[in-house]
Amino acid sequence: MNFLIRKNTKKIASLLATTLLAASLACSAGAEEAVTVNFGVLSGPTGIGAAKLLTDSDNGDTENIYEYVIASDNSEIVSGLTTGELDIACMASNTALNLYNQGVGIQVIALGTQGVLHILESGSGEEIQSISDLEGKTIYTTGQGNNPEYILRYLLESNDIDPDSDVEIVFADATEISAGLISGEIEVAMLPVPAATAAILQSDGTVRDALDVNDIWEDLGDGSSLIMTAVVARTEFIEENPDAVDTFLDEYEASIGYVNSNVEEAAELVAGLGITPSAAIAAAAIPQCNLIFISGESMEPAIADYYDVLYEADPDSVGGALPDDEYYYY
């Protein structure tokens, strides 16, 4: 018996070497197939929706390799796409079209998040009950030159309020606005979730959610929906890595599904990534984020009416032109 073992040692060693070589080659092939995607999200609902994807990426549990940034402002995303430092990014839907109309080679590969803006009121009173109650007020908001500004102006004008003379609009960052609301120095503000959620929870009852902008928009009855986020990819990256783009879409859709279905668990991931100050704020914010995922041929009919509204209100809000067929990636 021992003789047989010794006699076959070389044969067994040869088989083992062949097997190990095949396994090594397979691993090398797999490594070559994994594409590194430079991915950017904003520190708001888009970051929240991507929380599972980003966490899985950190743990090595994604098919693509994601090098990601969580940006505080759309300008960081615009810069990354323009210079090629980002391959795929989530950004304000109007900014995406603006960038496309400037000749930057991008396409929209998915849509995500509906209306996430809220009108907040500070103090013991409940004076703000409708959009018409904003007349004569100073309104603080984020998003100058992006969706929030154009949405606010459109809603005011639709309610016979001149945004240039009947109100004063002051732009600031979310942190400054939240602090002002909590201290009482700011009476009225429009903030997106989760910043709005954080301001309410941290105020001990002195800041209230006066109006849901999504509801006000729907009350206009013009048939458009507030699609506030576009997921875009550089056209060159799409052409060179179509499989990686398809993989991203699958993994991003799964991430949004997970966050919507597992609020408490997802809230821990969101807080762990630093997108919100705490898991409690994330858990309260997630149901208000209106996270959605739309891709393929469903994208154009979902957002076309909203782009029409923005264009009619101010052509500059979308870069001076409505999208052509090349804007969408099918």
Side-chain angles (χ1 to χ4, degrees):
M1 187 70 175
N2 290 337
F3 171 75
L4 290 174
I5 292 174
R6 287 194 299 273
K7 182 177 179 180
N8 290 313
T9 298
K10 288 186 177 180
K11 185 176 181 180
I12 292 169
S14 177
L15 287 170
L16 283 171
T18 302
T19 302
L20 289 170
L21 178 60
S24 176
L25 290 172
C27 288
S28 297
E32 289 175 359
E33 290 174 5
V35 175
T36 297
V37 178
N38 295 304
F39 178 44
V41 297
L42 292 165
S43 57
T46 65
I48 289 175
K52 184 68 164 64
L53 170 61
L54 302 184
T55 304
D56 285 348
S57 174
D58 288 341
N59 295 332
D61 293 331
T62 52
E63 288 188 47
N64 290 331
I65 299 169
Y66 294 99
E67 298 290 341
Y68 64 85
V69 294
I70 302 173
S72 60
D73 188 80
N74 272 283
S75 61
E76 297 175 57
I77 300 294
V78 168
S79 176
L81 290 167
T82 303
T83 61
E85 294 176 19
L86 292 177
D87 301 313
I88 299 176
C90 302
M91 63 194 308
S93 54
N94 83 296
T95 307
L97 181 52
N98 216 310
L99 197 61
Y100 177 81
N101 282 329
Q102 291 174 26
V104 178
I106 60 169
Q107 286 180 285
V108 173
I109 61 174
L111 302 174
T113 73
Q114 292 180 299
V116 295
L117 297 168
H118 292 256
I119 303 292
L120 306 182
E121 182 179 19
S122 176
S124 57
E126 295 187 2
E127 184 179 344
I128 308 300
Q129 298 293 330
S130 69
I131 197 79
S132 60
D133 295 327
L134 295 177
E135 186 168 2
K137 301 293 186 184
T138 297
I139 308 166
Y140 285 78
T141 185
T142 60
Q144 185 173 19
N146 291 306
N147 279 321
E149 177 183 1
Y150 295 112
I151 289 169
L152 179 58
R153 293 179 69 89
Y154 180 73
L155 290 177
L156 291 170
E157 289 169 351
S158 297
N159 286 271
D160 299 320
I161 299 173
D162 188 330
D164 296 314
S165 60
D166 294 335
V167 298
E168 180 182 2
I169 299 175
V170 179
F171 295 98
D173 65 49
T175 302
E176 180 183 349
I177 293 173
S178 295
L181 284 166
I182 292 169
S183 68
E185 294 176 15
I186 294 176
E187 180 187 357
V188 180
M190 185 177 75
L191 284 175
V193 173
T197 313
I200 293 168
L201 292 180
Q202 293 172 349
S203 71
D204 294 326
T206 61
V207 177
R208 75 179 188 93
D209 187 353
L211 302 171
D212 184 331
V213 171
N214 205 45
D215 291 340
I216 299 169
W217 188 278
E218 291 180 0
D219 288 343
L220 295 177
D222 60 12
S224 64
S225 296
L226 275 178
I227 305 291
M228 295 188 64
T229 299
V231 185
V232 306
R234 289 188 298 107
T235 304
E236 182 181 4
F237 183 81
I238 294 172
E239 292 171 348
E240 294 176 354
N241 303 279
D243 292 340
V245 172
D246 290 342
T247 296
F248 164 79
L249 289 172
D250 289 340
E251 293 182 327
Y252 184 63
E253 181 179 17
S255 181
I256 289 176
Y258 178 88
V259 172
N260 280 332
S261 302
N262 302 273
V263 173
E264 297 300 326
E265 295 87 347
E268 296 291 341
L269 303 183
V270 171
L273 290 164
I275 297 170
T276 62
S278 69
I281 289 173
I286 287 171
Q288 296 181 308
C289 282
N290 292 321
L291 298 173
I292 58 172
F293 178 87
I294 301 171
S295 63
E297 294 182 355
S298 299
M299 291 189 290
E300 185 173 3
I303 200 171
D305 288 342
Y306 177 52
Y307 279 146
D308 286 343
V309 168
L310 289 179
Y311 180 80
E312 290 175 11
D314 184 354
D316 289 340
S317 68
V318 292
L322 293 171
D324 56 28
D325 291 340
E326 296 301 315
Y327 181 62
Y328 302 100
Y329 169 74
Y330 298 139

